[in-house]
Amino acid sequence: MDIASMRRGHEMKDVRPEHYLEAIYALSREGKATLSALADALGVKPSSAHKMLRRLDEEGYIIYKGRGGIEITERGLALLDALNRSHKVLAEFFKLIGVDEDLAEAEAEKLEHLMNPKVVERIADLTEALKSLKGVLK
């Protein structure tokens, strides 16, 4: 996951807490995640980013160390794993039903943040069933 693929799926004016976590993760992999880098990556004001960082810290998803950077906690990593799983399931389903790959990825990026994990699991089950039927029908 990277900032470019996050932006491809939706308007960044609707930045959700999960987007912050994804951006922090991507920035961490490139070096050090800082408030200014995060605000730039998401196209938000530093004051807005600071407010969200405090919220994510209070909720246990990150540890915000001020000038020392931002660290994602185990709880934050678990949420990112769930989002990645949802994205993969949704993108695979869309591609299986004939949606162009770029569009499938963009739609999966939007929906991964909105769909209940129980619904995603049912789509995963349906995808597996469709894949097995596709093999039988060949």
Side-chain angles (χ1 to χ4, degrees):
M1 126 186 35
D2 59 23
I3 303 298
S5 63
M6 283 176 38
R7 288 178 183 263
R8 180 178 55 202
H10 46 78
E11 296 287 326
M12 289 309 290
K13 65 182 177 180
D14 183 29
V15 183
R16 301 172 55 88
E18 304 89 41
H19 296 127
Y20 278 85
L21 276 177
E22 289 176 330
I24 292 165
Y25 181 80
L27 290 168
S28 296
R29 295 185 52 85
E30 296 171 4
K32 187 167 130 181
T34 63
L35 172 65
S36 59
L38 181 63
D40 286 345
L42 294 174
V44 299
K45 295 179 182 176
S47 59
S48 297
H50 186 261
K51 183 177 177 181
M52 183 60 75
L53 288 175
R54 292 178 61 86
R55 175 180 165 189
L56 291 170
D57 192 16
E58 289 171 8
E59 293 176 1
Y61 292 108
I62 65 164
I63 298 170
Y64 178 48
K65 303 174 185 177
R67 294 190 188 276
I70 308 159
E71 180 181 320
I72 300 177
T73 64
E74 289 298 319
R75 182 174 187 200
L77 290 172
L79 178 56
L80 287 171
D81 284 344
L83 288 171
N84 284 333
R85 164 120 171 92
S86 292
H87 182 96
K88 287 177 185 173
V89 165
L90 294 168
E92 181 180 23
F93 174 72
F94 295 147
K95 291 172 198 173
L96 186 64
I97 63 171
V99 176
D100 172 72
E101 184 169 347
D102 287 340
L103 181 57
E105 292 291 335
E107 291 302 301
E109 178 59 38
K110 283 190 269 188
L111 293 173
E112 76 187 32
H113 299 278
L114 303 174
M115 294 187 76
N116 184 301
K118 291 179 183 177
V119 175
V120 173
E121 285 309 310
R122 297 299 297 151
I123 292 172
D125 294 344
L126 177 60
T127 300
E128 289 307 311
L130 289 172
K131 285 177 10 185
S132 64
L133 277 177
K134 195 173 183 180
V136 170
L137 297 175
K138 283 187 178 182

